[in-house]
Amino acid sequence: MTGADVADSPSRPSALGNYEDWPAYMGRRHIAASADAQQLADTLGVPAVTTELPYTVHVETEHDGVITSRLSWQLGFGPRTTAWFVRPANAAGPLPGLLALHCHGGIKVHGADRLVSLPSGTDDDGGASSSELPGNLPLELQPLEVRAKLYGGRALATWLAQQGFAVLAHDAFMWGSRRFGLDPLPWRTAGAVNGQRALWREAGVEPSAAEQYNAAAAAHEETVAKAATLLGSSVAGTVAHDDLAALGILATLPGVDADRLGCLGFSGGGGRALVLAALSPLIRGYVVTCMMTTFASLLPAYLDAHSWLLHSPGLARLGDWPDLAARSQAQAMIQYALDDQLFPEQGMRDADAYLSKRLPPERYTGSFWQEPHVFTPAMQEEAAAFLASALEPRPRTNSPAPDLARTDS
């Protein structure tokens, strides 16, 4: 029996639904621009990133003072990536470009669409609203609940475009268009899902298809982490692959100043921003919100508060979590929430003290908020102001005048 026969067997469902081509792609590794970035890429097992990746523009609409374009591109493995490019309408001149990195949130059926305000009544083809997610899952609404709970009700990417940025928000590995196919459920995932279904029945809850998928995907993340380790990669490294590819596309999009690129993210998106800035010299400024602590502070009580985006095998050999910021030359703002239920306060304060000592003031800004694990509008406004400053045009240097009297012999 071949490997394909086993994957197709009803007694042994594939644990890599939509990603059966992932193992074959892992023979190629990312080549970074510096020794520090290469060391991190090798530790995380970042797959090779295709440069000059072609993309398709599916639909473009103007609303609320911005132009929103829905894009897609095909990476070297897995499903096609969906993304949204949002920029101010009637912008004059090239704009600073931002990669808006969506959070984990325990919601994998949705991805970057939690960050984008879409006009009602449009889909990829500009017609009636789509009633299905990839994989034929019903789509009740945009992820407005997670937006209200974690982002103060704002569509972050759309709001940032209204502030004068050109913003690209893409689905990352495991989320939205890049999610795993979990029908039928892999064996181990099925056991966890069956337990959750029993709890729902006992509580008289009739879960939606999206809720059932999110429960399955939460359990399946353990299997994805196991697969990544087997392939010499990691969840964080494979997500970083998707983010590096999106950053390369952002640099080429119309109206974007490729010399003024930054990124930001909340929670798991903040961890992604930290890793991306350490891997790519294209990032000049970035913001990490509610995703900074020391490794020691997670032991023993906070280990189960986090996904595999924070826990990568071998990463501790390169230093602590704050050491990633020292691997980037970009300007960094770290926003800490003192009432964050996912991080102990002492761990955040230790990280801030370490970074304040390790990095010069022009490269590190720490900001403390008396908030839980959220990215409030006030925090967003601070982040936008920081990025506007960090991504200001570089001063022009005057080149020496040519020697007009010189002649070639």
Side-chain angles (χ1 to χ4, degrees):
M1 182 177 284
T2 67
D5 293 331
V6 172
D8 294 338
S9 170
S11 62
R12 179 71 73 172
S14 171
L16 297 179
N18 294 342
Y19 281 92
E20 283 81 5
D21 56 351
W22 183 19
Y25 189 81
M26 286 305 298
R28 302 172 58 231
R29 297 305 177 104
H30 175 62
I31 304 301
S34 69
D36 275 355
Q38 190 65 59
Q39 185 183 44
L40 177 60
D42 290 343
T43 299
L44 296 179
V46 180
V49 178
T50 302
T51 57
E52 300 182 1
L53 197 66
Y55 62 87
T56 300
V57 180
H58 295 277
V59 63
E60 188 168 275
T61 59
E62 184 172 338
H63 61 100
D64 302 321
V66 301
I67 298 171
T68 301
S69 305
R70 187 165 189 172
L71 315 179
S72 73
W73 55 82
Q74 181 61 60
L75 296 170
F77 60 98
R80 195 170 180 87
T81 300
T82 293
W84 288 265
F85 179 46
V86 195
R87 70 272 198 202
N90 304 316
L95 299 171
L98 290 180
L99 210 57
L101 304 169
H102 65 75
C103 64
H104 188 299
I107 298 175
K108 292 202 179 83
V109 79
H110 291 288
D113 52 349
R114 70 193 67 183
L115 304 180
V116 183
S117 176
L118 301 176
S120 60
T122 60
D123 65 4
D124 283 0
D125 300 316
S129 296
S130 173
S131 61
E132 293 183 347
L133 287 167
N136 298 318
L137 281 179
L139 174 58
E140 291 85 2
L141 290 169
Q142 268 198 276
L144 300 180
E145 183 178 346
V146 67
R147 191 181 297 169
K149 180 180 178 182
L150 299 177
Y151 293 91
R154 268 186 183 162
L156 179 64
T158 300
W159 179 80
L160 286 166
Q162 291 168 340
Q163 310 313 303
F165 298 96
V167 188
L168 182 65
H170 67 285
D171 292 342
F173 171 71
M174 297 197 303
W175 278 269
S177 59
R178 289 281 283 168
R179 63 187 180 83
F180 279 80
L182 297 178
D183 183 16
L185 290 170
W187 280 9
R188 188 177 294 273
T189 304
V193 171
N194 287 338
Q196 179 59 57
R197 286 172 176 164
L199 293 174
W200 278 326
R201 285 194 300 271
E202 185 177 337
V205 172
E206 190 66 38
S208 67
E211 288 170 329
Q212 292 182 65
Y213 180 84
N214 288 329
H220 186 247
E221 188 168 320
E222 300 290 331
T223 297
V224 176
K226 188 187 301 181
T229 302
L230 188 65
L231 295 173
S233 185
S234 62
V235 169
T238 314
V239 169
H241 162 272
D242 285 24
D243 293 343
L244 285 163
L247 181 63
I249 288 173
L250 173 63
T252 68
L253 288 173
V256 174
D257 186 342
D259 188 49
R260 301 163 65 197
L261 300 181
C263 61
L264 78 165
F266 160 72
S267 191
R272 292 166 60 192
L274 187 67
V275 170
L276 182 61
L279 288 172
S280 176
L282 294 179
I283 297 294
R284 282 182 50 191
Y286 65 100
V287 176
V288 175
T289 302
C290 294
M291 193 64 174
M292 179 58 74
T293 191
T294 61
F295 287 149
S297 71
L298 300 175
L299 301 167
Y302 287 82
L303 283 172
D304 61 354
H306 300 281
S307 76
W308 282 95
L309 282 174
L310 182 59
H311 303 296
S312 293
L315 187 58
R317 290 198 295 270
L318 304 187
D320 208 336
W321 188 244
D323 281 304
L324 290 180
R327 289 177 174 265
S328 171
Q329 295 302 308
Q331 296 182 48
M333 167 173 276
I334 312 293
Q335 294 179 317
Y336 306 87
L338 291 174
D339 296 330
D340 196 328
Q341 59 272 36
L342 304 186
F343 298 101
E345 180 179 337
Q346 192 57 54
M348 292 186 280
R349 292 202 179 277
D350 288 345
D352 173 66
Y354 178 85
L355 287 168
S356 297
K357 185 178 298 185
R358 178 79 185 271
L359 298 178
E362 61 271 17
R363 281 182 51 200
Y364 171 67
T365 301
S367 172
F368 284 86
W369 294 79
Q370 203 70 49
E371 297 286 354
H373 193 72
V374 293
F375 195 10
T376 66
M379 296 167 78
Q380 295 169 33
E381 286 153 18
E382 180 186 64
F386 171 84
L387 289 166
S389 176
L391 301 181
E392 287 181 347
R394 299 182 197 267
R396 291 186 178 181
T397 56
N398 294 322
S399 301
D403 185 356
L404 301 180
R406 178 183 171 182
T407 60
D408 293 328
S409 56

